[in-house]
Amino acid sequence: MDIKICVDLDNTLIDSVQRYTDEQIVAVKYGLDPSTYVKCVEKLFERHGNYYSYKLLLPILQEVKTDIKEGILPELESLLDRKYLFEDTEFFLSRFQKEQLVLVTSGDQVVQSRKIAAHQLESLFCAMILNPSNKADVVEAQKAGMVYFVDDAPREIEKVKKQCGLATCIQVREPPPWEKQKTTDYADYRVANLFEAVKIITGAI
């Protein structure tokens, strides 16, 4: 059967929670305790939505610590080139053809592109949609007999299911700390990892 699988990047394919922890380690080197850094990230989301960018974060850090050295910016950005691939990601991607996979990720396009390049994901997807205004529009645009949406964020699962009722929505992993919405009743499946997601999708083909 003709299928399309729209899959998220952060905390779905790559371990963004570990990178977030590493960001806090960097922050400590520059005189910011982890809890203060977390509050600055929360303020970033309040001001810019899901547009996560270290360049946008820097002025917020400087508001809290006026003497913070700007060297923190390149050190944080260097984390974008580090590999954080989950152990089940390669297995998941290898189970489907390139023509079946669509990467859909929100955030700064430059930032997301660096993450994608660091994990050598470019050749594995038939399309990569960076920072769409609405992931549900991307899912709705897929022309296939069966359409799947795989994401860690309950709010994204909810949006897609409400707009694209026929799409099968799979919520994977636990929501990351920065996600305020922790649960949803709109997921067709709630799974702990991508191994389980593969079973669901391949079992329906």
Side-chain angles (χ1 to χ4, degrees), residues 2-204:
D2 181 30
I3 71 167
K4 276 290 193 293
I5 304 164
C6 298
V7 59
D8 174 52
L9 179 66
D10 284 292
N11 205 46
T12 299
L13 299 180
I14 63 176
D15 191 348
S16 303
V17 175
Q18 181 58 57
R19 190 186 64 248
Y20 189 49
T21 300
D22 291 344
E23 290 175 15
Q24 294 170 48
I25 293 172
V26 171
V28 169
K29 288 175 59 177
Y30 286 84
L32 285 172
D33 62 83
S35 61
T36 300
Y37 182 83
V38 168
K39 290 178 181 177
C40 288
V41 171
E42 290 174 351
K43 188 169 291 187
L44 173 69
F45 284 127
E46 289 173 5
R47 293 182 184 179
H48 303 284
N50 292 314
Y51 204 75
Y52 197 92
S53 164
Y54 296 128
K55 289 181 180 178
L56 294 176
L57 178 62
L58 180 59
I60 298 173
L61 299 177
Q62 290 172 328
E63 290 173 12
V64 174
K65 184 174 174 56
T66 56
D67 62 343
I68 193 167
K69 295 180 180 179
E70 292 194 0
I72 191 173
L73 180 58
E75 193 158 349
L76 286 172
E77 289 183 330
S78 71
L79 298 177
L80 299 174
D81 301 318
R82 190 179 295 181
K83 290 188 177 181
Y84 291 96
L85 210 65
F86 280 117
E87 63 176 359
D88 53 6
T89 296
E90 290 184 356
F91 174 82
F92 176 86
L93 296 175
S94 70
R95 288 297 163 286
F96 306 105
Q97 299 173 15
K98 175 179 179 177
E99 293 71 23
Q100 296 174 320
L101 293 167
V102 178
L103 183 65
V104 189
T105 177
S106 300
D108 181 276
Q109 291 192 23
V110 174
V111 169
Q112 298 306 93
S113 294
R114 282 182 66 171
K115 294 176 191 174
I116 291 166
H119 296 88
Q120 300 176 318
L121 298 175
E122 304 98 320
S123 64
L124 302 178
F125 295 87
C126 68
M128 295 189 299
I129 314 300
L130 308 186
N131 197 33
S133 57
N134 183 14
K135 287 185 179 181
D137 291 339
V138 177
V139 176
E140 191 173 43
Q142 302 308 310
K143 306 300 180 185
M146 297 184 70
V147 178
Y148 291 87
F149 177 61
V150 183
D151 201 300
D152 64 295
R155 60 182 173 80
E156 296 288 7
I157 293 288
E158 196 162 300
K159 288 180 186 177
V160 169
K161 194 62 182 181
K162 285 180 177 180
Q163 184 171 327
C164 317
L166 295 179
T168 299
C169 294
I170 303 174
Q171 183 188 343
V172 65
R173 312 194 197 285
E174 292 298 323
W178 54 84
E179 283 288 341
K180 291 186 177 181
Q181 183 176 340
K182 300 298 183 183
T183 62
T184 181
D185 294 327
Y186 284 85
D188 294 292
Y189 298 94
R190 173 75 181 85
V191 299
N193 52 58
L194 291 174
F195 295 125
E196 294 180 23
V198 167
K199 291 179 182 179
I200 292 168
I201 298 171
T202 57

